[in-house]
Amino acid sequence: MIAAAFLVLLRPYSIQCALFLLLLLLGTIATILFFCCWHRRLQKGRHPIKSVFSGRSRSRDAVMRTHHFRSEVIYLARNFKGFRSSPRHARRRVTPRLEETQPIVEAHHLSEQETSVRKRKIKKSSRVQPDFYHSVQVTPTRKPSSGNASYRCSMSSSADFSDEEDFSQRSGTVSPAPGDTLPWNLPKHERSKRKIHGGSVLDPAERAVLRIADERDKVQKKTFTKWINQHLMKVRKHVNDLYEDLRDGHNLISLLEVLSGDTLPRERDFLKTLRLVSSTDACANEQHEDLEDEDKGPREKGRMRFHRLQNVQIALDYLKKRQVKLVNIRNDDITDGNPKLTLGLIWTIILHFQISDIHVTGESEDMSAKERLLLWSQQTTEGYAGIHCENFTTCWRDGRLFNAIIHKYRPDLIDMSTVAVQSNLANLEHAFFVAEKLGVARLLDPEDVDVSSPDEKSVITYVSSLYDAFPKVPEGGEGISANDVEVKWVEYQNMVNYLMQWIRHHVTIMSDRTFPNNPVELKALYNQYLQFKETEIPPKETDKSKIKHLYKLLEVWIEFGRIKLSQGYHPNDIEKEWGKLIIAMLEREKTLRPEVERLEMLQQIANRIQRDSRSCEDKLILARNALQSDTKRLESGLQFQHEAEIAGYLLESENLLRQQVIDAQILIDGKYYQADQLVQRVAKLRDELMAIRTECSSVYNKGHALTTEQTKLMISGITESLNSGFTTNLTPELNAAMTQGLTPTLTSSSLTSGLSSGLTSRLTPTITPTYPPGIPPRLIQSYVTGVDSGALQTLKLMQIRKPLMKSAFVDQNLTEEEVNMKFVQDLLSWVEEMQVQLDRAEWGSDLPSVESHLENHKNVHKAIEEFESSLKEAKISEIQMTAPLKLSYTEKLHKLESQYSKLLNTSRNQERHLDTLHNFVSRATRELIWLNEKEEEEVAYDWSERNPNIARKKEYHAELMRELDEKEEVIKSVQEIAEQLLLENHPARLTIEAYRAAMQTQWSWILQLCHCVEQHLRENAAYFEFFSDAKEAMEYLKNLKDTIYRKYSCDRSSSLHRLEDLVQESMEEKEQLLQYKSTVAGLVGRAKAIIQLKPRNPDCVLKTSIPIKAICDYRQIEITIYKDDECVLANNSHRAKWKVISPSGNEAMVPSVCFTVPPPNKEAIDTANRIEQQFQNVLALWHESHVNMKSVVSWHYLTNEIEAVRAGNVASIKTMLPGEHQQVLSNLQSRFDDFVEDSQESKIFTSSDTAQLEREVNVCKQYYQELLKSAEREEQEESIYNLYISEVRNIRLRLESCEERLIRQIRTPMERDDVHENVLRISEQEKLKKELDRLKDDLGIITDKCEEFFSQAAGSPSVPTLRSELNVVIQNMNQVYSMSSIFIDKLKNYNLVLTNTQTAESLVKQYEN
């Protein structure tokens, strides 16, 4: 408070701040010293460290009891024979309390002084040190390993103790549990008895317990270390020794950060360079401590013990914050490297972060995490014979449980029949190897599990890792269990296949552009499309969404590898086909809707024609009736009455008919389906009109009254109008259709001559498509069989024997009936023989043999058909047979007819089968030839750097894919033919299956080659695009360098405006250059992914074998290569095929198109490095040019500023505003500072130039300061001048006012005989005189001041002006003052005269009266 008050009273504030910082520093140092002293006290055991950091305390008895048994164990362990300290703790050797040669019994006769020293040692060693755990493990029967960096043993789980338990009472009353007979669990008198009688504290049973605990802890340590490293690798950290590397707390905090995703604070040793332990404290520590404190003075790792404890405490507090229960684990336990508690802490972390999140179907709320994991294991391995999961120890020893779990999720990786007969180690090794391939870290080794009782915690940790790595059904969400994967996958495939077939079928329908011309049918088609769009598309979209949803559920299994996703089954493939359908629908609607509108318009026109036709028919009927009435009147000798009415009807019909002709032409052009009928109707109306016109002419020509010129003109006008209208408006088609119904009078040459001219031009030419010729059969035969046509004749063909004629059986010794019987028998034998041959006939295995069999069978079938004549002859002979032989003959004849019918059907079926087989084989052979040609073309294509034409390669690929798309349908149709033939049980099944398999194999191989071509195209495009971009980048950077050097070179003679423009342009250039940096970085990054193409050039001989990568599967007898296999290229002398060594060591010639030579490409990397170096050079040149220009610009600005200052004078300074004077100096200084800053790296200015300019700036500053002083002085003089001149002018104005009044008074005439007025004027003039007197006094005062100013500022330019002004005022004053005096005197005299005159007049008047 005093310091604060003192600070408040101090002035100025800078002193306050300085003193405040000093006080703050002193307080900080005092705080640090306090904490360090407190830390040393804690180290000496004056306060239990546990009570300080964890807030827990124990009773004095519990503390002493714990200290007692730990110190006893340390004491006894150090007296074992053969004891050696661990090499890792060699620096912390313990000074023995007794000589090793001293008998153990003498330990009870220590002096009081030694006992007190021992008690002090016990208090210092209140916590179990790491040496304790090393000393306990050593027994006479086991030798410690000197090379192991880890602790050899720790206390077993049964040896865990609590500070509140009394072990001496428990061991004496109840039968000891395992581990209760260990020395730290025995009362003191029991330990003493053992020392006296046996000389050894540990008996064989206890040593066995220690061995088991040691082995178990070793496994736990190894498992937990691997588990920690699995997570720490995400932050690039690693733990070698679990007990040692967690002591500082940093790795522990990093582990918690990785597991939780949170960021935790850390305690940093920011004073690690300070040694805060005084020499006195160090001496005291040496006197009272036998153990050298590992955290004492040296600070090997730069981390104080306080910081280690604090970091561990941060981790423990974070776990407590997350509701993690920690039992008897304190920060000093971990910092001291306590193995048991370190393992316990890591196990607690594993339980919380990995095992506690396990959820299983059928779990109950009261289940622990361990029980849920056991339930998951049981559910997963359910149904596997001989496998039972009851615990996490012995059940897992044989490895079958691990294999069963993996087999449940990946049956393709595990063979359970092999697992059943393998050894435990083999099963465990196989399971761990497969799990590691699936992403599960190998936390266990087979020898760790194949023991009598595997460590439960280690097994749980590994099984929980399996649980995390394998797919599972989300809690509360949808998912697919391992049992349902195959079912769901089959369901997914069926849904995809059905939807794809539906889509492709409707794409074909929607692509059809042949529409009916009938509006009703077209409207129905359009409504059908709309119905399809509204009713069928939404359900299929729902199916598509279901497929997507099912794929999302299956996606985890696809990524896991359980399901192999075939090409075309991805939802994106469905979307692609769906997009084709939508586009086809839009195109169909785009075409269909205008067509509907067009036909609707034509329908309206057709309706109009029919309506007009009916109207025209009605008018013609009226005209005919009127004409008939006039005809009767003519016969009766009466005058016509309907002449004008008929003419009107005919004119109206003519107009309607003309419009109908135009509409009919529109219907014909639009190809309306009823156009012909309507044209005929219009033609009929035209004929009717022409007929009435003819009748009118004949009737009215006979009439007397109707032979006028008007009627003739009317009739002729109608005729001409009809003829001209029809001739000009009808197309040849319409005219031809109408001409067929015309009368002979209308088919004259004058009518048809105009139609013939447009006929030829309106005809639509017929396009006759041409088809390419097929492949010659001889070529196909030579390809398939490899033999010529002569060799084909050697095929085994059916032997054709024609039946004997009846005449061949005629003999003199035989009767007619016997001849008939022999003839029938021979025919029957021939039919049976042919039936046998047909049944045994071959079908052929290739195209030539099939063709030969087909030709041969045609001959056979011809012979069978010709046999019918012999059968008829046998039927005729039946009539000649008599009763005894007729019955037998009839039976044979019936049998012959039956057998012949069967033979004929068999022959026809065989001919049909041969025809279908020949059709299939010929088409399959043609496609196989094409596939083989494409294979040779793809294999032989040059993908090396010699062929840089990427555009040609893309065209080749596009052409290939287009051909494959076209050919796919063809091959699919051939395959469908094969499937159909097989479904029909075609006799040549083997041949069909062979061709089908060959086509499928060849097609699959072609598709694989296409995939290779696509990858080569991408890689070639990336290769040549990279080198093209690299070349452009090199040229661009080179040109840019030349441009920068040429454009931005400058010196002191360069113009300022030009340099300013160049600086601005250079900044824009820099932005472009920095933007181009991303291009350079992109090239550097792309260079790492560029493949090698030079090894594809056979001219580029390989000096050594290089690695290559397979991009497709390749299987042959001598070698088998799978996709992504790493192989070795041994020889590339042949372009199409390479000599390759497979991963298994097999060597063979393999098509080079199947491989890619992976990165790195040294040439590409070197090119990218050169570009990067060139870019840096350009950037450096730009920087140098920019600095030079900026320095010259700053120099110009500075010199201009200097010249402006030098050119200044007092007058120019006086024109400035008050704040501008200092601005000039600051501008000058800032210009100089800018120049100094800009010229630091400049090549144009040296340090001497800078010094010279600095001197010039200082001179300018001095000169400007003098100008400021002069200006200030002149301003003072000017202000005085202004003051005085204003006063003088004010007096002058007042004087002029008085003068004006005086002159006005003088010019005013005097009133005669008015004495009173004269008195008033005198009084006014006297007032003016007094005012002039005051002005004269003021003028005298200002005159004195001006005279003083004239004497002081004689050189001022304002003095003459002021003097002249003053003289003028003085002169005016004298003049006005004299005029006023004279005028007042005159007034007084005039008043005197007037007064005297008036007195005299009064006297005279008086005397007169």
Side-chain angles (χ1 to χ4, degrees), residues 1-10 16 19-20 23-24:
M1 292 175 63
I2 294 174
F6 180 72
L7 288 175
V8 171
L9 294 175
L10 282 177
Q16 289 185 3
L19 290 177
F20 177 75
L23 290 174
L24 183 63

Side-chain angles (χ1 to χ4, degrees), residues 782-822:
S782 62
Y783 168 74
V784 176
T785 62
V787 296
D788 55 7
S789 58
L792 293 175
Q793 301 299 326
T794 62
L795 292 172
K796 181 179 180 181
L797 303 177
M798 291 180 58
Q799 301 296 328
I800 303 174
R801 180 183 67 83
K802 292 187 178 182
L804 297 176
M805 301 299 293
K806 183 178 178 181
S807 59
F809 298 93
V810 176
D811 192 356
Q812 295 179 357
N813 299 326
L814 297 176
T815 62
E816 184 67 24
E817 292 180 351
E818 292 175 347
V819 170
N820 291 337
M821 290 295 292
K822 284 188 176 183

Side-chain angles (χ1 to χ4, degrees), residues 1043-1099:
T1043 302
I1044 291 174
Y1045 186 82
R1046 181 180 64 257
K1047 182 177 180 180
Y1048 299 117
S1049 298
C1050 63
D1051 52 18
R1052 300 186 187 185
S1053 61
S1054 301
S1055 170
L1056 176 59
H1057 297 294
R1058 176 176 174 274
L1059 287 175
E1060 287 178 340
D1061 295 339
L1062 288 178
V1063 168
Q1064 185 63 29
E1065 293 177 7
S1066 70
M1067 292 305 297
E1068 297 174 357
E1069 198 85 30
K1070 181 183 180 182
E1071 292 180 0
Q1072 297 178 2
L1073 198 60
L1074 292 179
Q1075 290 177 359
Y1076 199 76
K1077 183 178 180 180
S1078 61
T1079 303
V1080 175
L1083 287 173
V1084 173
R1086 286 164 56 189
K1088 300 176 182 178
I1090 298 301
I1091 62 166
Q1092 306 178 52
L1093 292 185
K1094 286 189 175 180
R1096 293 191 170 277
N1097 187 354
D1099 299 334

Side-chain angles (χ1 to χ4, degrees), residues 439-450:
V440 181
R442 185 186 280 254
L443 304 180
L444 294 173
D445 292 327
E447 55 269 19
D448 299 335
V449 184
D450 189 18

Side-chain angles (χ1 to χ4, degrees), residues 1079-1125:
T1079 303
V1080 175
L1083 287 173
V1084 173
R1086 286 164 56 189
K1088 300 176 182 178
I1090 298 301
I1091 62 166
Q1092 306 178 52
L1093 292 185
K1094 286 189 175 180
R1096 293 191 170 277
N1097 187 354
D1099 299 334
C1100 180
V1101 181
L1102 294 178
K1103 297 181 181 179
T1104 58
S1105 58
I1106 61 174
I1108 57 177
K1109 186 177 181 180
I1111 55 180
C1112 70
D1113 296 340
Y1114 182 84
R1115 296 180 180 88
Q1116 292 295 333
I1117 299 176
E1118 62 273 16
I1119 193 170
T1120 299
I1121 297 174
Y1122 297 98
K1123 183 181 179 182
D1124 297 332
D1125 276 356

Side-chain angles (χ1 to χ4, degrees), residues 1141-1153:
I1141 302 175
S1142 68
S1144 59
N1146 297 331
E1147 182 175 318
M1149 295 297 291
V1150 183
S1152 61
V1153 72

Side-chain angles (χ1 to χ4, degrees), residues 1358-1382:
S1358 59
V1359 170
T1361 305
L1362 181 61
R1363 187 185 296 279
S1364 63
E1365 287 279 346
L1366 182 63
N1367 291 334
V1368 169
V1369 172
I1370 292 173
Q1371 184 178 356
N1372 291 340
M1373 173 61 73
N1374 293 332
Q1375 184 178 356
V1376 171
Y1377 193 82
S1378 62
M1379 287 177 59
S1380 176
S1381 299
I1382 294 171

